[in-house]
Amino acid sequence: MKYDTIIIGAGLSGLAAGIRLAYYEKSVCIVERHNRIGGLNSFYRLRGREHDVGLHAVTNWAPLGVRSAPINRLMRQLRLRPEDFELAPQIESAIVFPECTLRFGNDFSLLEAEVAEHFPAEIDRFRNLVREIDQFDAFRLGPRPSSAREVLAERLKDPLLVEMLLCPIFFYGSPTPDDIDFLDFVILFRSIFREGFGRPRAGIRPILNRLTRQFRDHGGELKLNCGVQRIIHDGHRVNGVILDDGRLLEADNVLSSAGLVETLDLCQAPPEIRQQHPAGELSFIELICCLDIEPARLGIDRTIVFFNTSERIPYHCPEGPAELGCGVICCPNNFHYDQPLDDGRVRITVLANPEYWLDLPVDRYASEKETWRPRIVDAACRIVPDFRDHIVDTDLFTPRTIHRYTGHVNGAVYGAPRKIRDGRTYLEGLYLCGTDQGYLGIVGSMLSGITVANLYLLK
Ligand SMILES: Cc1cc2nc3c(=O)[nH]c(=O)nc-3n(C[C@H](O)[C@H](O)[C@H](O)COP(=O)(O)OP(=O)(O)OC[C@H]3O[C@@H](n4cnc5c(N)ncnc54)[C@H](O)[C@@H]3O)c2cc1C
């Protein structure tokens, strides 16, 4: 059988693209190397506890009735109802620097009031910047500024405010050391600050299950434990894929969510093309701490804290194994759920050096994880109230884990710095979706899958 489209990867972008194609009765097959769906946003069970891999929060939060909100438009494209994801809004988040804390939530006026209070000389300039962001046409082609850091330094005068606004945006989506493309800054500013955070009480699982059901109900085929070893083509056009077990699957189109560098490898692309696209090198360690108490009872009552302890955020690949001077502390308990979560959780994310973690011999890898576990907890306890006496279990994953389970080179969560915005590649019929097409995060990757499917595969 020859498919209309084979999709590589059952992450959020691949599933979203698959639903669009299946809905319009295209013959579509998603092939996923791992034994479960979700990719960077999957889930697992460890010592009797359920864990999400990547979910801190779903960005772009909007009340159910707001039809024009991006997340509700996305749901309509997937023929789902906004309530299908069961998102509860965040309580409140903060950007914490030694000199200042800025609180923000799902109502933008909180951030505006905080800037007015802590940076009174900047508030007019901040409002002008927000107006510029609101009016920015993210889909307009042609020249536009590339460095968000440069734009912010021009529009605002206080370097501390610049650094504080960049902090959550770097951690939730920048593939570029110490900066971010201005277009991505605009998209993330809207989705984090303008709209905000929500989370399903049961984590990512119900979202993934709902997407899979929708895909299969419309006739889509999903093959797990089914890796693609090679994309086959005649130098101009794709013809299908060869699987890890040597089987050939033929298709008119291949849509890859594996990442740009990874997809070029699967095609055995010529060196002159590969050289144009260096791999990303920003990756993270994530430490999940399970507590015997609700974190709020210890005074950890914010949803997400983005912290930085130096003058300038060291958002680049650390020289040592990890960078503890900045990061994210997320508390999945702190959303407005109907019922509280069963146990307390604190998740801590810090930058990590991929090469270091990927090159460690197996026995040293385990001992290095043990070394870094308490250091990361200590770093978090300098920012939020001390929770060390309440830890009953932990799990830690590194760039090596991300690489192992998703195949992303260097475990680079936000992919390659150079994005392929139109999703096209050097081969006809081969398209990219997901992180390296340029949309980031859970909502972004689903939007990417939908956009590329609509543009090229439903024609
Ligand atoms: C620690 C962490 C925390 C995060 N927190 C958040 C958050 O709070 N909010 C948010 O919005 N986003 C968050 N993200 C980011 C978000 O998870 C990703 O942006 C999004 O899931 C990317 O989806 P994707 O479909 O583009 O790619 P992926 O999820 O990487 O999917 C690609 C899939 O392709 C499969 N694959 C690769 N190669 C092959 C092959 N050769 N054959 C077959 N299959 C293959 C992989 O196994 C994978 O399943 C987080 C990520 C991490 C790692």
Side-chain angles (χ1 to χ4, degrees):
M1 168 185 178
K2 190 172 190 188
Y3 294 98
D4 288 322
T5 300
I6 289 171
I7 299 177
I8 304 178
L12 287 155
S13 62
L15 286 169
I19 292 173
R20 287 295 292 166
L21 299 181
Y23 182 80
Y24 285 100
E25 297 179 359
K26 298 283 181 194
S27 61
V28 49
C29 178
I30 303 181
V31 286
E32 167 57 56
R33 182 170 272 147
H34 194 19
N35 60 12
R36 68 180 51 167
I37 54 171
L40 286 167
N41 239 304
S42 194
F43 53 87
Y44 58 100
R45 192 174 170 82
L46 187 70
R47 295 182 285 273
R49 292 185 175 84
E50 307 289 342
H51 295 287
D52 284 325
V53 175
L55 180 70
H56 288 181
V58 178
T59 56
N60 302 82
W61 191 83
L64 295 182
V66 183
R67 281 183 62 79
S68 60
I71 193 160
N72 293 339
R73 286 210 307 266
L74 169 118
M75 298 300 276
R76 285 200 297 281
Q77 286 275 316
L78 297 175
R79 303 297 191 273
L80 294 171
R81 296 167 308 152
E83 51 272 36
D84 284 337
F85 283 1
E86 299 170 28
L87 297 180
Q90 67 167 317
I91 292 177
E92 183 183 290
S93 295
I95 309 161
V96 176
F97 277 45
E99 311 87 329
C100 177
T101 292
L102 285 180
R103 297 176 301 136
F104 66 96
N106 288 358
D107 179 349
F108 186 70
S109 61
L110 174 60
L111 179 63
E112 203 176 359
E114 288 280 287
V115 174
E117 185 185 333
H118 297 284
F119 297 91
E122 289 288 293
I123 185 63
D124 290 338
R125 282 190 281 269
F126 175 73
R127 288 195 179 116
N128 286 340
L129 173 71
V130 174
R131 218 167 290 127
E132 182 178 345
I133 289 170
D134 286 346
Q135 288 165 3
F136 189 88
D137 179 357
F139 300 99
R140 186 175 55 87
L141 296 174
R144 55 183 166 76
S146 64
S147 159
R149 189 180 271 292
E150 277 174 20
V151 174
L152 263 64
E154 244 172 50
R155 309 294 193 267
L156 304 168
K157 295 286 167 264
D158 192 324
L160 176 60
L161 180 58
V162 171
E163 222 57 30
M164 292 187 85
L165 293 175
L166 286 174
C167 183
I169 290 184
F170 281 175
F171 273 97
Y172 275 7
S174 178
T176 310
D178 298 314
D179 207 344
I180 183 165
D181 187 284
F182 186 64
L183 172 63
D184 294 327
F185 173 85
V186 167
I187 293 172
L188 286 162
F189 187 97
R190 290 174 183 162
S191 59
I192 295 170
F193 294 132
R194 267 308 208 186
E195 289 159 350
F197 300 135
R199 186 180 184 279
R201 185 177 175 281
I204 195 69
R205 203 168 309 214
I207 294 185
L208 292 173
N209 289 341
R210 191 68 197 85
L211 293 172
T212 309
R213 211 166 53 240
Q214 190 76 340
F215 176 61
R216 285 192 160 135
D217 285 353
H218 287 101
E221 201 179 321
L222 171 63
K223 293 181 194 287
L224 298 176
N225 292 311
C226 193
V228 170
Q229 183 200 110
R230 204 146 52 84
I231 293 171
I232 46 170
H233 57 86
D234 59 11
H236 299 284
R237 222 203 126 75
V238 288
N239 304 310
V241 299
I242 305 265
L243 301 176
D244 287 341
D245 64 9
R247 270 183 301 154
L248 163 71
L249 292 186
E250 287 183 290
D252 290 330
N253 302 290
V254 174
L255 175 58
S256 173
S257 68
L260 171 60
V261 175
E262 297 79 354
T263 303
L264 293 177
D265 278 350
L266 291 174
C267 298
Q268 299 173 329
E272 61 275 17
I273 293 181
R274 291 197 214 195
Q275 277 157 16
Q276 294 166 21
H277 301 286
E281 52 176 38
L282 287 166
S283 190
F284 303 99
I285 288 178
E286 176 104 349
L287 175 65
I288 303 173
C289 300
C290 305
L291 311 187
D292 61 4
I293 189 171
E294 275 276 320
R297 291 187 50 205
L298 301 171
I300 307 171
D301 47 12
R302 290 190 169 126
T303 307
I304 303 178
V305 171
F306 300 89
F307 70 92
N308 172 50
T309 55
S310 55
E311 206 176 304
R312 195 176 153 116
I313 316 163
Y315 188 80
H316 45 252
C317 178
E319 274 178 29
E323 168 59 64
L324 302 181
C326 59
V328 185
I329 303 165
C330 165
C331 203
N333 299 70
N334 294 339
F335 287 81
H336 287 292
Y337 303 122
D338 295 341
Q339 290 177 333
L341 290 192
D342 299 333
D343 60 354
R345 294 282 167 98
V346 177
R347 303 180 66 116
I348 308 154
T349 314
V350 294
L351 286 156
N353 180 322
E355 204 181 324
Y356 179 82
W357 292 96
L358 285 161
D359 288 352
L360 280 173
V362 175
D363 52 333
R364 277 214 46 221
Y365 178 64
S367 67
E368 274 300 90
K369 281 173 70 169
E370 286 319 309
T371 307
W372 281 89
R373 228 177 272 259
R375 291 183 186 168
I376 294 169
V377 173
D378 291 351
C381 289
R382 288 194 280 274
I383 307 294
V384 297
D386 198 331
F387 56 89
R388 281 175 284 206
D389 289 346
H390 295 276
I391 297 176
V392 290
D393 195 10
T394 60
D395 191 34
L396 180 146
F397 62 85
T398 71
R400 183 165 171 152
T401 328
I402 298 170
H403 177 257
R404 179 170 163 209
Y405 286 106
T406 66
H408 289 299
V409 173
N410 293 334
V413 171
Y414 301 126
R418 189 167 161 212
K419 301 298 179 200
I420 307 296
R421 304 268 174 207
D422 65 5
R424 293 166 67 171
T425 68
Y426 77 108
L427 292 173
E428 270 178 53
L430 173 66
Y431 304 98
L432 289 180
C433 69
T435 307
D436 282 337
Q437 190 253 328
Y439 292 104
L440 297 152
I442 295 168
V443 172
S445 51
M446 285 195 279
L447 270 175
S448 158
I450 290 169
T451 310
V452 176
N454 289 352
L455 266 177
Y456 307 112
L457 304 170
L458 285 175
K459 289 270 157 67

